[in-house]
Amino acid sequence: MASRHLPLNWLRAFEAAARLGSFAGAGAELNVTPSAVSQHVRALEGRLGKALFTRHANGVRLTDRGRRYAEELGRAFAAIDEASRRIAGHGTREMLVVHVPTSFASQWIAPRLDLFRASHPDIDLRLTALDQGEDKVDATIAFGLGSWPKHDAMLLLRDEAFPVCGPKYAEALTSPQDLNGHDLLHVPGYAEDWDTWFTHAGVNGVDTSSGSFFDQSIMAIRAAVEGKGVLLGRAALVERELSSGLLVEPFGVRLQAAGSYWFLTSGPKAKLPKVMAFRDWLSEMTAR
C-alpha cells in the first residue's frame, strides 16, 4: 500500500505544522527550515494521494481530512513519546500539553522555546492549536476580555494595536492620513479594526473597506514583511519583526486593545507542578 512505511520526518513535519498553524513555527520546533517542512508535507501528500493543506499566496490552511489526520498523529506521537520515556527509564519526564492560538504560538512562544527547555529539561512542552477539549490539555493560553468562568486566569500580556509595514513601504508614509489609497491588511475578529484605530488617531475620510483579509495574524504579518501593505499589528505578535527591522512602526500611534492574553487552568490540573512551572516561566518572560 502507498501509505505504508511513511518516513517519520514527514509525519513529524506535518503534525508540527498542523499543530502550530505554520511551516515557520514547525521549522523552529523541529530545528529545520520552513522550506524543509514544506517539502516533507508535499512528499507526504504525494504518498497519501490526498491534500492535507490548502495553499494560497499568504499561507496554508488544514483541510478537513488534514485536521483529522493531525489529531490522530498527535495522539500517536504522544503515545510514542511516553512509551520511549518508560522504556528508557526516564519516568520523571513529563509532557505538558497547552492549547494556544496559532499566531501566538508561532510568534511569541516558539522563539522562546529554548529558554523553557533550558530551565525545565524534565518537561516536554507540546503546543496545539487544535481544539481537542479541556480533558486533553493541561492548560490554555487564550485571547479575550478576562471573563473565564470556572477557570483560574492569570493575565499574561496586555495588547496594543498599531500600524506596521516594511521599511521601504514606510518611506511613502509621513502621517496616518497618507494611508488613504494604500493597501490595508486586515485580520478580522478583533475588537479593534482599522476604523477604530483611525478614530483613535484623529483621522477621518480614509476608506478602510478594501484591502487583503487574513484568517490568522501570522499570514498578515508575512504579507506585511513582503511589502504587500500596512497591517494593524498586535504588539505581542510583531515584536520579533520590529526588533529585527523586518517591520517598522511608521506613526508611533498605539491603541490600547480591549483584549489581552491569559493563561487559563481549571480543576486539579491547576496545581500540577508542570503546569505551575510553565505558568511561572510565562510570568518571568512577560516581565522582561
Side-chain angles (χ1 to χ4, degrees), residues 104 108 142-145 155-162 187 189-193 217 221 232-239 254-262:
F104 191 79
W108 197 90
F143 182 85
L145 302 179
L155 177 64
L156 288 181
L157 289 170
R158 298 194 182 278
D159 198 27
E160 293 179 309
F162 50 92
V187 183
Y190 291 104
E192 300 76 30
D193 57 13
S217 292
I221 292 168
L232 190 63
R234 321 297 297 197
L237 304 183
V238 298
E239 61 173 19
R254 296 194 173 195
L255 172 63
Q256 184 67 50
S260 302
Y261 288 95
W262 298 79

Short mmCIF file of all heavy atoms in Angstrom, two decimals, residues 104 108 142-145 155-162 187 189-193 217 221 232-239 254-262:
data_model
loop_
_atom_site.label_atom_id
_atom_site.label_comp_id
_atom_site.label_asym_id
_atom_site.label_seq_id
_atom_site.Cartn_x
_atom_site.Cartn_y
_atom_site.Cartn_z
N PHE A 104 0.11 33.22 18.25
CA PHE A 104 0.85 33.44 19.48
C PHE A 104 1.89 32.35 19.68
O PHE A 104 3.01 32.62 20.14
CB PHE A 104 -0.11 33.48 20.67
CG PHE A 104 0.51 33.97 21.95
CD1 PHE A 104 0.71 35.32 22.17
CD2 PHE A 104 0.91 33.07 22.94
CE1 PHE A 104 1.30 35.78 23.35
CE2 PHE A 104 1.49 33.51 24.12
CZ PHE A 104 1.69 34.87 24.32
N TRP A 108 5.32 34.21 19.47
CA TRP A 108 5.78 34.58 20.80
C TRP A 108 6.42 33.42 21.56
O TRP A 108 7.49 33.57 22.16
CB TRP A 108 4.63 35.16 21.63
CG TRP A 108 5.08 35.93 22.83
CD1 TRP A 108 5.35 37.26 22.89
CD2 TRP A 108 5.34 35.40 24.15
NE1 TRP A 108 5.77 37.61 24.17
CE2 TRP A 108 5.76 36.48 24.96
CE3 TRP A 108 5.24 34.14 24.73
CZ2 TRP A 108 6.10 36.33 26.30
CZ3 TRP A 108 5.58 33.98 26.06
CH2 TRP A 108 5.99 35.07 26.83
N ALA A 142 -5.26 31.95 26.05
CA ALA A 142 -6.39 32.47 25.29
C ALA A 142 -6.33 33.98 25.20
O ALA A 142 -5.76 34.65 26.07
CB ALA A 142 -7.71 32.02 25.92
N PHE A 143 -6.94 34.50 24.15
CA PHE A 143 -7.05 35.94 23.97
C PHE A 143 -8.49 36.35 24.24
O PHE A 143 -9.42 35.76 23.70
CB PHE A 143 -6.66 36.34 22.55
CG PHE A 143 -6.69 37.83 22.31
CD1 PHE A 143 -5.59 38.61 22.62
CD2 PHE A 143 -7.82 38.44 21.78
CE1 PHE A 143 -5.61 39.98 22.40
CE2 PHE A 143 -7.85 39.81 21.55
CZ PHE A 143 -6.75 40.58 21.87
N GLY A 144 -8.68 37.34 25.11
CA GLY A 144 -10.05 37.76 25.40
C GLY A 144 -10.09 38.89 26.41
O GLY A 144 -9.08 39.54 26.72
N LEU A 145 -11.30 39.10 26.94
CA LEU A 145 -11.55 40.25 27.81
C LEU A 145 -11.33 39.95 29.29
O LEU A 145 -11.46 40.84 30.13
CB LEU A 145 -13.00 40.73 27.61
CG LEU A 145 -13.36 41.14 26.18
CD1 LEU A 145 -14.82 41.58 26.11
CD2 LEU A 145 -12.44 42.25 25.69
N LEU A 155 -3.31 36.99 33.96
CA LEU A 155 -3.02 37.90 32.84
C LEU A 155 -1.57 37.73 32.41
O LEU A 155 -0.65 37.82 33.23
CB LEU A 155 -3.27 39.34 33.27
CG LEU A 155 -2.95 40.42 32.23
CD1 LEU A 155 -3.85 40.29 31.01
CD2 LEU A 155 -3.08 41.81 32.86
N LEU A 156 -1.37 37.50 31.13
CA LEU A 156 -0.02 37.37 30.58
C LEU A 156 0.45 38.68 29.96
O LEU A 156 1.48 39.23 30.35
CB LEU A 156 0.02 36.27 29.51
CG LEU A 156 -0.09 34.83 29.97
CD1 LEU A 156 -0.01 33.90 28.77
CD2 LEU A 156 1.00 34.49 30.98
N LEU A 157 -0.27 39.14 28.96
CA LEU A 157 0.14 40.32 28.20
C LEU A 157 -1.06 41.16 27.83
O LEU A 157 -2.05 40.63 27.32
CB LEU A 157 0.86 39.90 26.90
CG LEU A 157 2.24 39.27 27.00
CD1 LEU A 157 2.64 38.72 25.64
CD2 LEU A 157 3.27 40.28 27.48
N ARG A 158 -0.98 42.45 28.07
CA ARG A 158 -1.97 43.36 27.52
C ARG A 158 -1.62 43.64 26.07
O ARG A 158 -0.45 43.62 25.69
CB ARG A 158 -2.02 44.66 28.34
CG ARG A 158 -2.44 44.42 29.78
CD ARG A 158 -2.80 45.72 30.49
NE ARG A 158 -3.14 45.49 31.87
CZ ARG A 158 -4.32 45.07 32.30
NH1 ARG A 158 -5.29 44.84 31.41
NH2 ARG A 158 -4.55 44.88 33.58
N ASP A 159 -2.62 43.91 25.28
CA ASP A 159 -2.41 44.02 23.84
C ASP A 159 -2.53 45.47 23.38
O ASP A 159 -3.26 46.26 23.98
CB ASP A 159 -3.43 43.16 23.09
CG ASP A 159 -3.02 42.89 21.67
OD1 ASP A 159 -1.82 42.89 21.38
OD2 ASP A 159 -3.92 42.66 20.82
N GLU A 160 -1.80 45.81 22.33
CA GLU A 160 -1.90 47.10 21.67
C GLU A 160 -2.00 46.88 20.17
O GLU A 160 -1.43 45.92 19.65
CB GLU A 160 -0.67 47.97 21.98
CG GLU A 160 -0.54 48.42 23.41
CD GLU A 160 0.71 49.25 23.63
OE1 GLU A 160 1.79 48.79 23.21
OE2 GLU A 160 0.59 50.35 24.19
N ALA A 161 -2.70 47.77 19.50
CA ALA A 161 -2.83 47.69 18.04
C ALA A 161 -2.25 48.95 17.42
O ALA A 161 -2.51 50.07 17.89
CB ALA A 161 -4.29 47.54 17.65
N PHE A 162 -1.46 48.77 16.36
CA PHE A 162 -0.82 49.91 15.70
C PHE A 162 -0.34 49.50 14.31
O PHE A 162 -0.05 48.32 14.07
CB PHE A 162 0.35 50.43 16.53
CG PHE A 162 1.32 49.35 16.96
CD1 PHE A 162 2.43 49.03 16.20
CD2 PHE A 162 1.10 48.67 18.16
CE1 PHE A 162 3.30 48.04 16.61
CE2 PHE A 162 1.97 47.67 18.57
CZ PHE A 162 3.08 47.35 17.80
N VAL A 187 -7.09 41.62 9.74
CA VAL A 187 -7.28 40.34 10.43
C VAL A 187 -8.59 40.47 11.21
O VAL A 187 -8.60 40.98 12.34
CB VAL A 187 -6.12 39.99 11.37
CG1 VAL A 187 -6.34 38.61 12.00
CG2 VAL A 187 -4.79 40.02 10.63
N GLY A 189 -11.91 39.78 13.52
CA GLY A 189 -12.09 39.03 14.76
C GLY A 189 -11.67 39.78 16.00
O GLY A 189 -12.06 39.40 17.11
N TYR A 190 -10.89 40.83 15.85
CA TYR A 190 -10.50 41.65 16.99
C TYR A 190 -11.50 42.79 17.19
O TYR A 190 -12.13 43.26 16.24
CB TYR A 190 -9.11 42.25 16.78
CG TYR A 190 -7.98 41.25 16.81
CD1 TYR A 190 -7.36 40.84 15.63
CD2 TYR A 190 -7.52 40.72 18.01
CE1 TYR A 190 -6.32 39.92 15.64
CE2 TYR A 190 -6.47 39.82 18.04
CZ TYR A 190 -5.87 39.42 16.86
OH TYR A 190 -4.83 38.52 16.88
N ALA A 191 -11.62 43.26 18.44
CA ALA A 191 -12.50 44.39 18.71
C ALA A 191 -11.99 45.65 18.02
O ALA A 191 -12.76 46.52 17.62
CB ALA A 191 -12.61 44.63 20.22
N GLU A 192 -10.67 45.74 17.87
CA GLU A 192 -10.06 46.91 17.24
C GLU A 192 -9.81 46.62 15.76
O GLU A 192 -9.16 45.63 15.43
CB GLU A 192 -8.73 47.27 17.92
CG GLU A 192 -8.86 47.61 19.40
CD GLU A 192 -9.04 46.38 20.27
OE1 GLU A 192 -8.54 45.30 19.90
OE2 GLU A 192 -9.71 46.50 21.31
N ASP A 193 -10.36 47.47 14.89
CA ASP A 193 -10.10 47.35 13.46
C ASP A 193 -9.53 48.67 12.96
O ASP A 193 -9.24 49.58 13.74
CB ASP A 193 -11.36 46.94 12.70
CG ASP A 193 -12.51 47.92 12.93
OD1 ASP A 193 -12.27 49.03 13.46
OD2 ASP A 193 -13.66 47.58 12.58
N SER A 217 -3.27 36.02 12.09
CA SER A 217 -2.31 37.14 12.12
C SER A 217 -0.99 36.78 11.47
O SER A 217 -0.35 37.62 10.83
CB SER A 217 -2.08 37.58 13.57
OG SER A 217 -3.23 38.17 14.11
N ILE A 221 1.09 39.10 8.90
CA ILE A 221 2.44 39.57 9.23
C ILE A 221 3.40 39.26 8.09
O ILE A 221 4.22 40.09 7.69
CB ILE A 221 2.92 38.94 10.55
CG1 ILE A 221 2.10 39.48 11.72
CG2 ILE A 221 4.41 39.21 10.77
CD1 ILE A 221 2.30 38.72 13.01
N LEU A 232 -2.52 46.44 10.67
CA LEU A 232 -2.79 46.88 12.03
C LEU A 232 -2.28 45.76 12.94
O LEU A 232 -2.98 44.80 13.24
CB LEU A 232 -4.29 47.12 12.23
CG LEU A 232 -4.67 47.82 13.54
CD1 LEU A 232 -4.07 49.22 13.61
CD2 LEU A 232 -6.19 47.89 13.69
N GLY A 233 -1.03 45.89 13.33
CA GLY A 233 -0.35 44.82 14.06
C GLY A 233 -0.74 44.76 15.51
O GLY A 233 -1.25 45.72 16.09
N ARG A 234 -0.46 43.61 16.12
CA ARG A 234 -0.68 43.40 17.55
C ARG A 234 0.68 43.27 18.21
O ARG A 234 1.57 42.56 17.74
CB ARG A 234 -1.51 42.15 17.81
CG ARG A 234 -2.64 41.90 16.83
CD ARG A 234 -3.72 42.97 16.84
NE ARG A 234 -4.40 43.07 18.10
CZ ARG A 234 -5.59 43.69 18.25
NH1 ARG A 234 -6.18 44.25 17.20
NH2 ARG A 234 -6.17 43.78 19.42
N ALA A 235 0.86 43.97 19.33
CA ALA A 235 2.18 44.12 19.94
C ALA A 235 2.91 42.79 20.16
O ALA A 235 4.08 42.65 19.81
CB ALA A 235 2.06 44.88 21.26
N ALA A 236 2.23 41.82 20.77
CA ALA A 236 2.90 40.56 21.09
C ALA A 236 3.28 39.76 19.86
O ALA A 236 4.21 38.95 19.90
CB ALA A 236 1.99 39.71 21.99
N LEU A 237 2.58 40.00 18.75
CA LEU A 237 2.77 39.18 17.57
C LEU A 237 3.79 39.74 16.58
O LEU A 237 4.25 39.02 15.70
CB LEU A 237 1.43 38.96 16.85
CG LEU A 237 0.32 38.34 17.71
CD1 LEU A 237 -0.93 38.11 16.86
CD2 LEU A 237 0.77 37.04 18.37
N VAL A 238 4.13 41.01 16.71
CA VAL A 238 5.07 41.62 15.75
C VAL A 238 6.37 42.06 16.41
O VAL A 238 7.21 42.68 15.76
CB VAL A 238 4.42 42.82 15.01
CG1 VAL A 238 3.22 42.36 14.20
CG2 VAL A 238 4.04 43.93 15.98
N GLU A 239 6.56 41.73 17.69
CA GLU A 239 7.74 42.21 18.40
C GLU A 239 9.03 41.73 17.75
O GLU A 239 10.02 42.48 17.67
CB GLU A 239 7.70 41.78 19.87
CG GLU A 239 7.68 40.28 20.09
CD GLU A 239 7.81 39.90 21.56
OE1 GLU A 239 7.57 40.76 22.41
OE2 GLU A 239 8.15 38.73 21.83
N ARG A 254 -0.35 54.23 19.09
CA ARG A 254 -0.82 52.91 19.52
C ARG A 254 -2.18 53.01 20.20
O ARG A 254 -2.45 53.95 20.93
CB ARG A 254 0.18 52.26 20.46
CG ARG A 254 1.52 51.96 19.80
CD ARG A 254 2.37 51.03 20.65
NE ARG A 254 3.57 50.61 19.95
CZ ARG A 254 4.34 49.58 20.32
NH1 ARG A 254 4.00 48.86 21.40
NH2 ARG A 254 5.42 49.25 19.63
N LEU A 255 -2.98 51.99 19.96
CA LEU A 255 -4.32 51.90 20.54
C LEU A 255 -4.34 50.76 21.56
O LEU A 255 -4.03 49.62 21.21
CB LEU A 255 -5.36 51.63 19.43
CG LEU A 255 -6.79 51.32 19.86
CD1 LEU A 255 -7.41 52.50 20.60
CD2 LEU A 255 -7.63 50.95 18.64
N GLN A 256 -4.66 51.08 22.81
CA GLN A 256 -4.77 50.04 23.83
C GLN A 256 -5.94 49.15 23.49
O GLN A 256 -7.07 49.61 23.33
CB GLN A 256 -4.97 50.66 25.21
CG GLN A 256 -5.01 49.65 26.35
CD GLN A 256 -3.66 48.96 26.54
OE1 GLN A 256 -2.63 49.60 26.63
NE2 GLN A 256 -3.67 47.64 26.63
N ALA A 257 -5.70 47.86 23.38
CA ALA A 257 -6.73 46.91 22.98
C ALA A 257 -7.59 46.51 24.16
O ALA A 257 -7.15 46.53 25.31
CB ALA A 257 -6.10 45.68 22.34
N ALA A 258 -8.81 46.12 23.85
CA ALA A 258 -9.71 45.63 24.90
C ALA A 258 -9.27 44.25 25.38
O ALA A 258 -9.34 43.93 26.56
CB ALA A 258 -11.15 45.59 24.38
N GLY A 259 -8.82 43.40 24.45
CA GLY A 259 -8.44 42.05 24.80
C GLY A 259 -6.99 41.93 25.23
O GLY A 259 -6.15 42.79 24.93
N SER A 260 -6.70 40.85 25.95
CA SER A 260 -5.35 40.55 26.42
C SER A 260 -5.13 39.05 26.32
O SER A 260 -6.06 38.27 26.09
CB SER A 260 -5.15 41.02 27.87
OG SER A 260 -5.40 42.39 28.01
N TYR A 261 -3.89 38.62 26.53
CA TYR A 261 -3.56 37.19 26.56
C TYR A 261 -3.60 36.71 28.01
O TYR A 261 -3.05 37.36 28.90
CB TYR A 261 -2.20 36.93 25.94
CG TYR A 261 -2.20 37.10 24.44
CD1 TYR A 261 -1.82 38.30 23.86
CD2 TYR A 261 -2.62 36.07 23.60
CE1 TYR A 261 -1.84 38.48 22.48
CE2 TYR A 261 -2.64 36.23 22.23
CZ TYR A 261 -2.26 37.43 21.67
OH TYR A 261 -2.29 37.59 20.31
N TRP A 262 -4.23 35.56 28.22
CA TRP A 262 -4.43 34.99 29.55
C TRP A 262 -3.98 33.54 29.59
O TRP A 262 -4.08 32.82 28.59
CB TRP A 262 -5.91 35.06 29.93
CG TRP A 262 -6.46 36.46 30.01
CD1 TRP A 262 -6.86 37.25 28.96
CD2 TRP A 262 -6.68 37.23 31.19
NE1 TRP A 262 -7.30 38.46 29.41
CE2 TRP A 262 -7.20 38.48 30.77
CE3 TRP A 262 -6.48 36.99 32.54
CZ2 TRP A 262 -7.54 39.48 31.68
CZ3 TRP A 262 -6.82 37.99 33.45
CH2 TRP A 262 -7.33 39.22 33.01
#
